[in-house]
Amino acid sequence: MTKKIIVIGAGLGGLSAALMLKIRGFDVCILEQNSFAGGKAGERIKDGFRWDTGPSLITMPFVIDNLFRESGACREDYLTFETIDPLCRYFFPGNPNILNASSDPDRMVRSLSQISPQDAKHWNDFLEYTRKLYRLTADLFLYSPIHEVRDLLTFKNLLRFPSLLQIDAFRSMHKAVSHYFQDPNIRQVMDRYATYVGADPGKAPATLNIITFVEYGLPVAYIKGGIARLSEALVKRCHETGVPIRFNTPVKEILHNGKRITGVRTDNDHISTSAVVANSDAVSTFETLIRGKERTTRRLTKLEPSLSGLAFFWGVKGTYPQLAHHNIFFAKNYLEEFHHLFVTRDISPDLTVYVAVTSKKDPGHAPQGCENWFVLVNMPYLSKGHDWDAWIPEVREKVLEKLAEFGLDMRNRILTESTLDPRDIKHLYGSNRGSIYGISSNDRRTAFRRPANRNRALKGLYFCGGSSHPGGGVPLVILSGKIAAELVTRYERI
């Protein structure tokens, strides 16, 4: 009899895990609490406008190609990848020059020269530094189940350990960036990559500068039609391979006998299984779905959550050639902003604003003569005393002020509007305290403290998704699903 595996959550990690388990011969069923798949990589449609609700750029697109190939399909039959140049357009307070970031080294150097000719000379050295970090860490920290002793202590890894002393784990991202660049605006740009894992560049280990290489040294892509098409395509692959997805089916409890998983309970069903892959947040899973494991729950809840965010979905009147597909409007003091995010946990007086406009690539995402603006600002994770009903209009006003600083007065140009705040993130995605990326990466031990793909407290419990190893972001959550599936195959007999 084929062994039944329950996957909780149809996010990208859960979809990836389900596909990999199915091709390995398991009987797989996905239970999803929402009416849609993809988790944070979803979409919103309103009044003729369409927005991605999460990422709008894919790094390491070869991870997606490999997933489709391993599932027996060709990605090109489901999704069209397109290039974006510039990768992002950066605007700086008090500086009329903009930075058009590009994965083309020569173009990037020319753009950096508009900000600081001296710093531009160091770009290739910095990129080589990040390439070295990637080369030293990728196999171990991205593609392997790092918490598994048999995978960690391989002969290959033992030979590699002396070189791991070179992964720059003992200084912060900001200090490493500052070694190469003196201009505060360029430092802001490079520090920004800490937000890809929800961290503070002043605290996150410099090892995470590999993110810069992932964006500038490896392929990146936009998916025609929006990133939500990826979720749609993976759902289609699940249906084609015989993986059922039960939407609107929240899991109420993961059942166990103290040592091993025995099943899951929904509102209307009790499903027996000895193995569960939770695409849900690891901390929230133990807090809300698992009884009798208080020690593990206490340990997980002590870990600092990542930052959260507040998103405005604006349908705006007019088109704005000064904007690119991705745009960043920086605060005057970027590190002070992170002090407010992680220390005082309140709203910074000056905010950095991210604006993604997918209608630049996909005109059908907005009515003619209009644009769809996805506006995101970093926010602290949920804490007692936060008054989001008061904070949302306050942040909105700060965002409008920031945009006006750069000549974009949008007060009378917003035709339609909706929001996504940390409370929504917690409710829709089960994220711990509304965090976007699970636990924060403000510690050099984070890679080992992040919840493992195979849980030790309960046999048969596995995790994938942004809260577990190897972390957040589209390629990493897909890799987490594949790692979880490999571990299930190793420890659970069909």
Side-chain angles (χ1 to χ4, degrees):
M1 182 177 179
T2 303
K3 187 162 189 174
K4 190 173 191 66
I5 309 293
I6 297 298
V7 176
I8 300 176
L12 297 180
L15 295 168
S16 169
L19 280 172
M20 292 298 96
L21 287 167
K22 185 65 178 180
I23 65 173
R24 286 167 167 81
F26 289 92
D27 178 15
V28 188
C29 178
I30 303 176
L31 305 179
E32 168 57 52
Q33 68 171 351
N34 294 307
S35 61
F36 57 89
K40 301 180 187 75
E43 66 181 343
R44 185 172 294 192
I45 299 172
K46 182 183 179 184
D47 299 331
F49 293 87
R50 182 248 170 233
W51 304 266
D52 282 312
T53 58
S56 57
L57 182 72
I58 300 293
T59 56
M60 302 168 64
F62 52 84
V63 170
I64 299 173
D65 288 340
N66 292 339
L67 176 62
F68 276 92
R69 186 180 307 112
E70 290 174 41
S71 76
C74 180
R75 184 269 305 166
E76 288 84 353
D77 294 334
Y78 297 80
L79 300 167
T80 300
F81 286 166
E82 297 185 339
T83 59
I84 293 179
D85 197 6
L87 295 173
C88 188
R89 182 165 291 166
Y90 293 96
F91 299 80
F92 308 100
N95 188 340
N97 295 316
I98 62 172
L99 174 66
N100 286 311
S102 176
S103 57
D104 180 285
D106 293 336
R107 197 171 299 166
M108 184 64 173
V109 168
R110 288 196 296 271
S111 191
L112 288 168
S113 295
Q114 300 300 310
I115 309 298
S116 170
Q118 186 62 34
D119 279 354
K121 298 175 183 178
H122 300 295
W123 171 247
N124 287 325
D125 291 337
F126 181 68
L127 194 59
E128 181 56 35
Y129 154 75
T130 63
R131 179 182 288 107
K132 180 180 179 181
L133 292 177
Y134 181 85
R135 188 174 64 249
L136 289 171
T137 61
D139 285 347
L140 184 60
F141 290 94
L142 300 185
Y143 299 102
S144 302
I146 195 172
H147 301 86
E148 299 290 323
V149 174
R150 63 181 282 185
D151 295 283
L152 182 64
L153 300 181
T154 62
F155 180 71
K156 181 179 179 181
N157 284 340
L158 289 173
L159 291 178
R160 182 188 289 142
F161 278 156
S163 65
L164 291 180
L165 297 174
Q166 304 173 46
I167 65 174
D168 208 0
F170 296 99
R171 59 177 174 171
S172 69
M173 290 182 73
H174 177 72
K175 284 187 177 179
V177 165
S178 300
H179 174 76
Y180 289 90
F181 305 112
Q182 301 304 309
D183 186 272
N185 294 151
I186 294 179
R187 286 177 175 178
Q188 280 182 311
V189 172
M190 303 311 156
D191 280 347
R192 178 217 166 197
Y193 292 99
T195 65
Y196 279 36
V197 291
D200 177 346
K203 296 179 180 178
T207 311
L208 291 177
N209 281 313
I210 64 170
I211 300 169
T212 309
F213 178 72
V214 166
E215 183 145 319
Y216 292 97
L218 296 177
V220 294
Y222 169 70
I223 297 177
K224 182 68 176 176
I227 304 305
R229 302 286 76 77
L230 172 58
S231 309
E232 188 177 86
L234 292 180
V235 168
K236 184 177 181 181
R237 276 307 289 150
C238 283
H239 290 159
E240 290 170 345
T241 56
V243 176
I245 305 175
R246 292 169 55 179
F247 292 104
N248 301 306
T249 308
V251 171
K252 297 299 184 181
E253 186 177 359
I254 297 175
L255 305 171
H256 62 91
N257 60 14
K259 294 183 178 180
R260 172 169 273 285
I261 297 297
T262 59
V264 299
R265 179 177 61 82
T266 69
D267 279 330
N268 304 310
D269 205 358
H270 176 161
I271 306 171
S272 295
T273 181
S274 59
V276 166
V277 178
N279 187 200
S280 47
D281 184 285
V283 179
S284 297
T285 297
F286 271 93
E287 278 190 306
T288 62
L289 300 183
I290 298 175
R291 301 176 184 176
K293 291 295 178 182
E294 289 77 11
R295 182 177 178 181
T296 300
T297 303
R298 286 195 300 269
R299 177 179 61 81
L300 288 172
T301 54
K302 288 180 180 178
L303 298 174
E304 180 185 45
S306 77
L307 55 78
S308 187
L310 172 57
F312 297 92
F313 301 87
W314 287 348
V316 303
K317 181 180 180 180
T319 57
Y320 302 85
Q322 63 267 55
L323 297 184
H325 187 112
H326 301 99
N327 310 271
I328 294 285
F329 300 86
F330 276 117
K332 294 180 177 67
N333 190 328
Y334 202 34
L335 294 182
E336 180 186 2
E337 188 175 357
F338 284 96
H339 178 82
H340 284 274
L341 288 169
F342 286 106
V343 180
T344 59
R345 298 179 197 166
D346 58 9
I347 300 173
S348 175
D350 189 19
L351 298 173
T352 296
V353 178
Y354 168 75
V355 180
V357 190
T358 61
S359 58
K360 298 286 187 183
K361 269 288 187 180
D362 273 311
H365 289 180
Q368 187 173 4
C370 299
E371 290 183 345
N372 65 332
W373 286 23
F374 172 79
V375 181
L376 178 69
V377 287
N378 294 323
M379 286 284 116
Y381 56 82
L382 295 172
S383 296
K384 291 182 180 180
H386 287 176
D387 184 354
W388 285 98
D389 291 330
W391 276 11
I392 290 173
E394 181 181 344
V395 173
R396 184 183 190 273
E397 182 62 27
K398 288 179 179 293
V399 168
L400 289 170
E401 290 173 357
K402 173 62 65 176
L403 294 172
E405 284 180 29
F406 294 92
L408 291 164
D409 186 353
M410 307 306 296
R411 293 182 187 278
N412 298 314
R413 294 176 178 269
I414 300 171
L415 302 176
T416 186
E417 176 178 18
S418 59
T419 61
L420 181 78
D421 67 56
R423 298 169 300 181
D424 301 317
I425 294 171
K426 179 180 180 180
H427 172 71
L428 286 172
Y429 315 124
S431 298
N432 174 37
R433 300 174 75 173
S435 61
I436 297 177
Y437 305 95
I439 67 170
S440 80
S441 296
N442 293 336
D443 191 299
R444 61 177 175 268
R445 298 167 294 175
T446 296
F448 295 95
R449 299 177 71 186
R450 185 174 291 278
N453 304 105
R454 181 171 70 96
N455 186 259
R456 298 301 200 275
L458 280 173
K459 290 183 178 180
L461 178 60
Y462 302 83
F463 283 101
C464 65
S467 74
S468 56
H469 175 74
V474 171
L476 299 194
V477 299
I478 289 176
L479 289 173
S480 77
K482 294 177 69 173
I483 291 171
E486 290 167 4
L487 293 173
V488 170
T489 305
R490 181 184 300 176
Y491 292 103
E492 309 293 331
R493 294 182 180 178
I494 296 178

